[in-house]
Amino acid sequence: GNVDVVEAVRDLSGFGHAFRGEHGSIRVGGFRASYGTALLSREPLRETESVPFDLSWRDDKGYVRAVVDAPGFPDLEVVSVHLDFLRPAIRRRQAARLIAELGTRRGPRVLMGDFNCGWRGDHRCVLTAIANGLGLVAWRPHERLASFPSFRPTTRIDWILASPGIRFRSYATSPARVSDHLAVVADIAELVPPAARRATA
């Protein structure tokens, strides 16, 4: 219906800021739909960037990133990602690119999205590789917090990862069925204030 869903959610939710990255589109007759990943925030987003993976003709996934100055979290980098749902080989290549591109940046980070992958402790799991490659941690990775499919969740493939200097105060799935996935909601707090971190470095 020619609705910008990100703008609509921003307006309805009261979040004042949004950034959307288009990573794919389809056109049927006079109808065009685009899709990708997005960030919504109460605080202004800066240094925004949209990166489509474009690893093959059918790769329509990617990520968006931004820096936000949230209360208690100056210079927090937030990243929203969507990895391929069908082919593990493409997912591994997307993960390698994500690590290569984000691994050069320093500072606190939250990485979230649909990884289309559960947590395993072996080298084949892209989620474990991403967490290790970017120095991020997951909240109770082996706990069952299924988010897909939303009508009867059986699989935990939607994750929020954070830098070790950030702790999760709470972590849960939302019961609202507004998608084929349940939303994952985390409340985070800084574990070590930046001044104390510099003093002990």
Side-chain angles (χ1 to χ4, degrees):
N2 294 319
V3 173
D4 187 323
V5 176
V6 176
E7 294 286 329
V9 172
R10 184 197 66 184
D11 295 342
L12 291 168
S13 66
F15 283 75
H17 307 276
F19 176 68
R20 172 175 54 87
E22 181 180 309
H23 301 142
S25 65
I26 57 173
R27 184 180 294 277
V28 180
F31 175 78
R32 179 182 180 274
S34 69
Y35 44 92
T37 55
L39 293 165
L40 292 101
S41 174
R42 292 187 179 90
E43 307 296 334
L45 297 167
R46 55 185 171 85
E47 299 177 34
T48 55
E49 181 181 17
S50 172
V51 181
F53 289 123
D54 281 337
L55 295 175
S56 75
W57 66 270
R58 60 162 297 275
D59 182 3
D60 56 4
K61 301 297 186 279
Y63 68 90
V64 293
R65 63 168 292 277
V67 175
V68 62
D69 293 315
F73 293 92
D75 297 319
L76 176 67
E77 182 183 55
V78 287
V79 183
S80 173
V81 66
H82 191 181
L83 299 184
D84 190 77
F85 74 97
L86 189 61
R87 296 182 58 193
I90 291 181
R91 217 161 32 240
R92 284 193 294 271
R93 290 168 62 196
Q94 291 170 339
R97 180 168 173 187
L98 191 70
I99 294 167
E101 292 178 356
L102 296 181
T104 59
R105 300 184 176 97
R106 295 292 175 259
R109 172 185 290 143
V110 172
L111 171 64
M112 55 197 157
D114 178 1
F115 292 84
N116 275 303
C117 180
W119 187 278
R120 295 197 308 272
D122 60 54
H123 67 281
R124 295 170 298 170
C125 180
V126 298
L127 187 59
T128 311
I130 290 169
N132 292 339
L134 295 177
L136 304 174
V137 295
W139 187 86
R140 300 181 186 176
H142 300 290
E143 184 166 312
R144 187 180 180 278
L145 273 168
S147 57
F148 180 83
S150 59
F151 64 89
R152 188 177 293 172
T154 58
T155 309
R156 185 179 180 183
I157 59 175
D158 302 286
W159 296 80
I160 299 173
L161 308 176
S163 298
I166 296 171
R167 67 180 174 87
F168 293 101
R169 289 194 288 213
S170 65
Y171 193 103
T173 56
S174 168
R177 296 180 186 174
V178 297
S179 164
D180 57 333
H181 296 245
L182 295 179
V184 179
V185 182
D187 182 11
I188 61 172
E190 193 170 30
L191 187 61
V192 182
R197 198 178 302 143
R198 284 194 297 271
T200 58

